[in-house]
Amino acid sequence: MSVPKMGVPKVAVTHSLRGRLLWFLLAAITMAALAQAMIAYRSALYDADQIFDYHMQQMAMSLRSGVPLTNNDIGTAGPSGPTEGDPENNELVVQVWTPDGVRVFRSLSHATLPQRAVLGFSNVRANGVDYRIFSVQANNQTVQIAQDMAVRKRMAGTLALRTVGPIALMAPMLMLVVWWVVSGSLAPVARVRRQVAARQADDLSPVSDSELPDEVRPLVQELNLLFGRVRTAFEAQQHFVADAAHELRSPLAALKLQVLSLERAADDGARAVAVGRVSAGIERATRLVEQLLVLARQEASSAAGSTFAQVNLADLAKRTLGDMAGLAQARQIDLGLHHADDFTLSGQPDALIILLRNLVDNAVKYTPAGGTVDLELRARPGGATLCVEDSGPGISPEERERVFSRFYRVPGSEAGGSGLGLAIIKAIAERHGATLALEASERLGGLRVKVDFPATARPTPA
């Protein structure tokens, strides 16, 4: 029959700051008390050795100057000489030897000391007892004063206990004081915990860090920063959902009508026109969704604080012109790079490409066939200026601020669009600490979009 193995019980590890402080303080008090007891014991033992050694020496000197002792003077030695008494109450043992080694006097009959005497102080073990002995030559006799070392140790132990006793009595009081202080210090932390626990899921307002300990306040401050980033991300998501629901309603309704027209087409010609309208409607809806997604990604990236890297803006500008050359050629637009200085900044490459493509795409889209679109990048002492100019109709001064709003399109504009291009450009520019301005192009006569980048672009807090 096999005997089941007993599992080793696991010791519960407390993670409570209050519990740890109390246990550590108890351990510190215990260790301090033991150290104090050891020091007191050694100090008391040293003092007892000095006092009793002096007493033994004085007694030996007094016996040395007295009359010789004989076998008839059996007794115990007190402070003034040999006396009769109980060995438990008398601490010193006196023995006298002749030069021939004959013991002529012993104060305690049961205490047997070695016959050999070493003048001065010595420690001797006899019959299982440790003695401290002082020997002196006197009147052709050797006088020995001995004392059991246990007497001294008992005295030192008593003094050590008296020293540790008050500490042991004060330990519970110290524990209560520490418990009260720690509980009071952690009360603000418990308040913050209750405040967070009582919140609704959509409540991302900052948590109060008043009266918090200095060690906990940075944690709450970082938590508030996290709440701010999450709140910005939620708001961006809500804006995206609201914008998508609002703006997709019209294209989807138009597509529905165009599908009905396709179903009712009487001949191939009418059917071809309806199919073309459906395709155009799908393309517009797809473009709108793409722009919405780009805008949502930029807002989410701004809220999350994406990592920046060193980017050469001139290389991105040349790459953008190469990508947009086919669209410009199809619309018979002269697209070129008017000037490009080498400029490197800390930024997000993907976001900057989107900014450049939207700038060039808007210029190409709103410039009539046969027109010109130029991109220019010039470095300056305080950074660099990126400009996209076109020979299109431009934007009136009173409309230049409004076009940055989402889904706003200049009245009377013939070019199709979602009205999100400039909003995306503005969000990316602000993310890189750049300023965006719309001006009239003196060289080409149309619109001039200017983006001023600082010398060391850094992400702007959301």
Side-chain angles (χ1 to χ4, degrees):
M1 180 177 179
S2 61
V3 179
K5 296 182 178 179
M6 298 298 293
V8 179
K10 295 183 179 179
V11 179
V13 180
T14 177
H15 295 283
S16 169
L17 180 60
R18 183 188 295 106
R20 288 185 178 183
L21 288 176
L22 292 176
W23 279 111
F24 287 158
L25 179 63
L26 178 60
I29 292 175
T30 303
M31 294 177 64
L34 292 176
Q36 182 67 21
M38 185 178 297
I39 295 173
Y41 176 79
R42 291 183 176 276
S43 177
L45 186 59
Y46 175 80
D47 293 339
D49 286 339
Q50 296 296 318
I51 294 172
F52 282 116
D53 285 353
Y54 178 76
H55 187 194
M56 293 168 61
Q57 190 176 16
Q58 292 300 315
M59 179 175 287
M61 292 298 105
S62 65
L63 293 176
R64 177 183 180 183
S65 61
V67 296
L69 299 174
T70 64
N71 291 330
N72 297 324
D73 298 325
I74 303 298
T76 59
S80 60
T83 60
E84 188 76 24
D86 183 9
E88 292 295 333
N89 298 324
N90 296 276
E91 302 170 348
L92 299 180
V93 179
V94 180
Q95 287 192 145
V96 180
W97 303 84
T98 65
D100 297 334
V102 178
R103 184 176 60 233
V104 296
F105 177 79
R106 183 174 64 186
S107 62
L108 294 178
S109 59
H110 71 280
T112 303
L113 300 178
Q115 244 179 335
R116 186 190 55 199
V118 178
L119 297 181
F121 286 101
S122 62
N123 294 332
V124 177
R125 183 173 182 82
N127 298 327
V129 180
D130 292 325
Y131 289 99
R132 177 73 166 172
I133 300 176
F134 179 74
S135 302
V136 65
Q137 195 77 26
N139 298 326
N140 295 323
Q141 292 179 337
T142 301
V143 179
Q144 288 183 321
I145 309 295
Q147 184 184 37
D148 188 349
M149 296 293 290
V151 175
R152 303 183 180 195
K153 294 179 179 179
R154 284 196 299 270
M155 178 180 290
T158 302
L159 293 176
L161 288 176
R162 290 177 181 177
T163 303
V164 177
I167 299 178
L169 293 176
M170 291 293 294
M173 185 178 297
L174 288 175
M175 296 293 291
L176 290 176
V177 171
V178 171
W179 180 84
W180 178 75
V181 172
V182 172
S183 298
S185 301
L186 295 179
V189 180
R191 172 181 55 81
V192 171
R193 180 187 62 79
R194 291 192 299 270
Q195 181 182 353
V196 174
R199 288 188 170 203
Q200 299 295 326
D202 57 348
D203 185 4
L204 296 173
S205 58
V207 178
S208 175
D209 60 354
S210 61
E211 301 181 359
L212 285 176
D214 293 340
E215 293 80 6
V216 181
R217 184 178 291 110
L219 175 63
V220 175
Q221 291 173 350
E222 291 298 328
L223 181 64
N224 288 334
L225 293 176
L226 176 62
F227 280 169
R229 292 192 292 268
V230 174
R231 182 173 61 252
T232 303
F234 279 172
E235 290 175 355
Q237 182 183 22
Q238 292 173 353
H239 290 160
F240 171 75
V241 173
D243 293 342
H246 179 268
E247 294 301 322
L248 287 176
R249 186 179 299 111
S250 297
L252 292 178
L255 282 175
K256 183 177 181 180
L257 293 176
Q258 290 161 5
V259 169
L260 292 176
S261 300
L262 178 60
E263 292 177 348
R264 297 173 182 174
D267 51 24
D268 293 340
R271 189 175 294 107
V273 173
V275 168
R277 291 176 178 176
V278 170
S279 299
I282 293 175
E283 184 177 352
R284 286 193 297 271
T286 302
R287 177 62 176 169
L288 175 60
V289 171
E290 290 176 351
Q291 293 287 74
L292 283 171
L293 290 175
V294 169
L295 184 60
R297 281 195 297 268
Q298 293 309 311
E299 291 179 343
S301 175
S302 176
S306 299
T307 304
F308 275 40
Q310 293 298 313
V311 182
N312 190 303
L313 198 57
D315 292 342
L316 294 185
K318 296 173 183 178
R319 175 181 168 185
T320 300
L321 292 179
D323 294 340
M324 303 297 293
L327 176 63
Q329 185 177 5
R331 295 182 57 86
Q332 299 179 0
I333 302 297
D334 181 13
L335 177 63
L337 184 64
H338 186 257
H339 183 85
D341 291 334
D342 189 70
F343 179 72
T344 300
L345 77 160
S346 179
Q348 296 174 298
D350 294 340
L352 292 173
I353 288 178
I354 293 174
L355 179 144
L356 289 166
R357 285 183 177 177
N358 275 276
L359 286 174
V360 175
D361 181 68
N362 280 349
V364 171
K365 186 186 301 181
Y366 289 95
T367 299
T372 302
V373 174
D374 284 341
L375 190 149
E376 180 180 11
L377 176 64
R378 292 188 180 275
R380 51 184 173 78
T385 300
L386 174 70
C387 295
V388 176
E389 298 181 78
D390 61 62
S391 59
I395 300 177
S396 61
E398 58 272 12
E399 295 286 341
R400 289 174 186 170
E401 288 298 325
R402 301 181 63 184
V403 294
F404 292 115
S405 302
R406 298 180 181 183
F407 307 110
Y408 181 80
R409 300 180 68 247
V410 178
S413 175
E414 297 181 357
S418 61
L420 289 174
L422 287 175
I424 294 173
I425 293 170
K426 184 178 181 182
I428 298 175
E430 291 178 348
R431 176 63 181 153
H432 289 77
T435 57
L436 181 64
L438 302 182
E439 303 172 349
S441 174
E442 297 180 358
R443 186 169 61 86
L444 299 181
L447 181 67
R448 182 172 184 258
V449 183
K450 182 176 69 172
V451 185
D452 289 323
F453 289 95
T456 54
R458 288 292 184 271
T460 302

